[in-house]
Amino acid sequence: MTIRVLIVDDQIMVREGFSVLLNAMPDIEVVGEAVNGREAVRQVEALRPDVVLMDIRMPEMNGIDATREIVAADGEAKVLVLTTFDLDEYVYQALRAGASGFLLKDASARQLAEGVRVVAGGEALLAPTVTKRLITEFARTAETARPPALAQVGDLTERETEVLVLIAQGLSNGEIAAHLVVAESTIKTHVSRILVKLGLRDRTQAAVFAYEARLVTPG
């Protein structure tokens, strides 16, 4: 099945460059482009793309506000944030707004395509060390971070808490399964239960929650 992508960036060279790279992939199709967040919200409603590649700094409406609106309108929407800097504080805000992960704008064609595939498949783009470093740093310092939700954490079983910590460390379901010596299907069940109990939409928000609740020590 072809993955339909919307590219959102105020720089035409970036949009055209990503379009060329992604359209060269047999399983990916760029179905539209937007020059700012406000146009992105309209395009998502009209085109229903599988993945939105979202720049952060744009005129009229930035990528954070656009991500928040898109996710609020469609809980299944998948936004992959694009940034120039791997420690961009706005990326952390975008993750909390509902983005499923982020990529650097200088990513290779292979990394870009794989990032789109990962997010389209319902996974969070958490594996790269820069993502882990960013979440760690800004979960520790962000003024908007919520206090530890002890009541919610208490709803988790010991194994679910263990799985949540491993998610926050950037491990995939397969890696967690290998680490805990259980079937990958068992981990998928744990992840689903964690998201329901904590009222979170995906693995990215689960990882952010783990840092903010201090289940994982930053650094």
Side-chain angles (χ1 to χ4, degrees):
M1 185 175 66
T2 302
I3 302 171
R4 304 171 71 254
V5 176
L6 172 69
I7 299 176
V8 186
D9 197 293
D10 61 334
Q11 297 182 36
I12 187 171
M13 291 183 65
V14 172
R15 297 197 307 274
E16 291 183 346
F18 283 157
S19 291
V20 170
L21 292 175
L22 292 177
N23 279 327
M25 303 294 168
D27 59 335
I28 299 175
E29 177 189 4
V30 176
V31 296
E33 299 179 6
V35 300
N36 58 56
R38 196 171 305 283
E39 184 179 350
V41 173
R42 292 195 297 266
Q43 291 274 48
V44 168
E45 184 177 359
L47 299 172
R48 297 295 179 186
D50 299 306
V51 176
V52 180
L53 284 180
M54 179 76 73
D55 187 24
I56 292 180
R57 294 177 175 84
M58 295 180 292
E60 294 193 39
M61 179 186 286
N62 62 44
I64 298 170
D65 293 337
T67 296
R68 187 175 294 110
E69 285 200 20
I70 289 169
V71 171
D74 180 3
E76 298 300 315
K78 297 176 176 63
V79 179
L80 187 54
V81 173
L82 298 169
T83 181
T84 306
F85 311 105
D86 63 358
L87 281 179
D88 185 340
E89 62 181 293
Y90 296 108
V91 173
Y92 176 74
Q93 295 178 33
L95 294 177
R96 296 198 73 238
S100 295
F102 89 102
L103 276 176
L104 297 179
K105 286 188 176 181
D106 62 358
S108 67
R110 181 189 61 79
Q111 290 171 326
L112 179 64
E114 185 57 27
V116 167
R117 294 183 186 111
V118 167
V119 171
E123 295 288 327
L125 200 60
L126 289 173
T129 55
V130 287
T131 305
K132 180 179 175 182
R133 188 169 76 247
L134 180 142
I135 293 177
T136 301
E137 176 65 17
F138 290 102
R140 180 173 62 83
T141 61
E143 295 180 358
T144 57
R146 57 179 171 237
L150 298 180
Q152 288 177 285
V153 173
D155 290 338
L156 301 179
T157 65
E158 183 177 348
R159 178 46 62 93
E160 287 168 351
T161 302
E162 191 174 8
V163 170
L164 177 58
V165 169
L166 293 173
I167 290 173
Q169 292 174 349
L171 274 65
S172 67
N173 284 345
E175 291 168 334
I176 294 174
H179 180 80
L180 299 179
V181 195
V182 298
E184 186 171 347
S185 59
T186 300
I187 299 302
K188 290 180 179 179
T189 299
H190 284 315
V191 172
S192 296
R193 289 175 177 168
I194 289 167
L195 297 180
V196 170
K197 288 183 177 181
L198 299 181
L200 304 172
R201 70 186 299 267
D202 59 23
R203 294 168 68 95
T204 303
Q205 290 200 334
V208 172
F209 178 95
Y211 280 107
E212 292 182 344
R214 302 302 188 261
L215 292 177
V216 181
T217 303

